Amino acid sequence: MTSFSDSKYVQKVCEITQASYQEGWDERNGGNVSLRLTADDVSEFSDLNHVKRTLDLGFDASALAGEYFLVTATGRYFRNVIHQPNLDLGLVRITSDGQHADLLWGYDDGAQPTSEFPSHLMSHIERLKVDANQRVVMHCHPTNLIALSFTHELNEKSISLLLWKMQAESLVVFPEGIGVVPYMTPGTNEIGQATATKMHDFRVVMWPHHGVFGTGTTLDETFGLIETVEKAATIYSQIGAQGGQIKQSITDDQLRDLAKSFQVTANPHFLS
């Protein structure tokens, strides 16, 4: 039987973490990603039958009991994951009490899941209420979106409209807009819960002056969502670099036509 180390899941996380690092979104040990797997997904791997150790979650994840997560380790560098996935990634299964996770593969040098893992689990729980196919939570530090959080009012409607109008693809890719939480200390359950609350309505949430949380059904979709948000923020940054004088722009009516053409529903609270 195939070793989990050689699985498409490990290979894809390696690919995405490397791409995210190459984009400049994950300096040093910044960023983390988790991929939810099902029992069917892991059933073919014979090397997952032994619990290596049991980890304390510090959070009640009983809503996800029995679910499997491939998750990056705390303190590790995205640029290295592709070279040493057995050290920088771990496959865990949430225990029946929801307070712990059994480590089945990875973290070979004693590593632990990312400190943001409770925040990931909270977002997984909330997004599964909206979309049963949701599998991915990704946190990273897109440069231009972070810059935007310093120069623009932290208002979801205003930021969403701005990003929608920077390029036609934005409205198509994230028609619900972007959620925003206040600045909060990262790595805490408080920011995790605030983010999860926003995840009821949004698939991408800005952490001002820090980064972004994105979700999706696949790693590619989630990466592409963040990529599109960051591209729009980059265009806005370039406008500023060119003097900031906007002489023409996508209008609200054109956004409505765009939504109709691509059969998406723009957030009615942002675009009536």
Side-chain angles (χ1 to χ4, degrees):
M1 299 181 75
T2 305
S3 167
F4 189 72
S5 298
D6 300 321
S7 71
K8 62 182 180 181
Y9 308 112
V10 171
Q11 292 173 7
K12 194 63 182 181
V13 173
C14 287
E15 175 188 317
I16 289 295
T17 51
Q18 183 63 203
S20 190
Y21 169 71
Q22 293 293 339
E23 289 286 346
W25 300 347
D26 298 279
E27 71 291 340
R28 199 173 181 271
N29 63 322
N32 32 79
V33 62
S34 61
L35 169 65
R36 182 177 63 87
L37 300 176
T38 68
D40 285 344
D41 292 331
V42 303
S43 62
E44 66 179 287
F45 304 106
S46 58
D47 55 346
L48 302 181
N49 297 323
H50 172 69
V51 176
K52 299 175 64 174
R53 50 193 163 98
T54 299
L55 311 170
D56 183 16
L57 292 176
F59 164 70
D60 181 7
S62 54
L64 297 169
E67 298 281 1
Y68 298 78
F69 291 91
L70 183 58
V71 57
T72 50
T74 187
R76 301 306 172 92
Y77 293 20
F78 265 28
R79 69 171 180 265
N80 293 336
V81 177
I82 197 168
H83 304 298
Q84 51 185 41
N86 61 309
L87 304 182
D88 296 342
L89 300 177
L91 179 71
V92 303
R93 180 180 59 215
I94 307 301
T95 57
S96 58
D97 66 2
Q99 301 294 328
H100 305 87
D102 289 332
L103 177 64
L104 305 178
W105 174 89
Y107 299 158
D108 284 356
D109 58 357
Q112 298 282 330
T114 170
S115 62
E116 305 286 6
F117 195 34
S119 292
H120 280 240
L121 295 174
M122 293 176 198
S123 285
H124 278 289
I125 290 170
E126 193 60 41
R127 286 304 304 168
L128 281 168
K129 297 175 184 177
V130 180
D131 181 358
N133 295 316
Q134 197 257 291
R135 285 179 175 249
V136 179
V137 171
M138 184 174 181
H139 169 59
C140 58
H141 306 155
T143 305
N144 291 281
L145 187 67
I146 295 172
L148 183 67
S149 73
F150 286 94
T151 63
H152 201 279
E153 60 179 323
L154 297 177
N155 175 282
E156 291 170 344
K157 178 179 179 178
S158 179
I159 289 177
S160 296
L161 281 170
L162 171 68
L163 296 176
W164 284 347
K165 292 185 176 185
M166 288 299 100
Q167 57 177 354
E169 288 78 6
S170 289
L171 180 66
V172 177
V173 174
F174 53 103
E176 70 272 33
I178 182 170
V180 180
V181 297
Y183 177 81
M184 303 172 71
T185 301
T188 63
N189 284 3
E190 288 73 21
I191 194 170
Q193 188 55 63
T195 304
T197 298
K198 292 293 183 182
M199 286 293 178
H200 178 77
D201 298 310
F202 304 99
R203 290 172 298 133
V204 60
V205 177
M206 174 194 282
W207 285 12
H209 324 322
H210 181 136
V212 68
F213 251 54
T215 62
T217 58
T218 68
L219 287 159
D220 279 333
E221 179 190 68
T222 308
F223 183 91
L225 170 63
I226 297 172
E227 186 178 35
T228 306
V229 171
E230 172 63 359
K231 181 62 175 288
T234 301
I235 294 169
Y236 183 69
S237 292
Q238 287 297 306
I239 291 170
Q242 294 179 22
Q245 297 295 320
I246 297 179
K247 295 185 177 180
Q248 51 273 324
S249 175
I250 299 173
T251 67
D252 286 3
D253 282 342
Q254 288 170 334
L255 286 176
R256 294 185 188 96
D257 289 342
L258 187 66
K260 182 178 180 181
S261 179
F262 282 87
Q263 298 181 323
V264 298
T265 302
N267 190 324
H269 299 293
F270 300 163
L271 186 68
S272 59

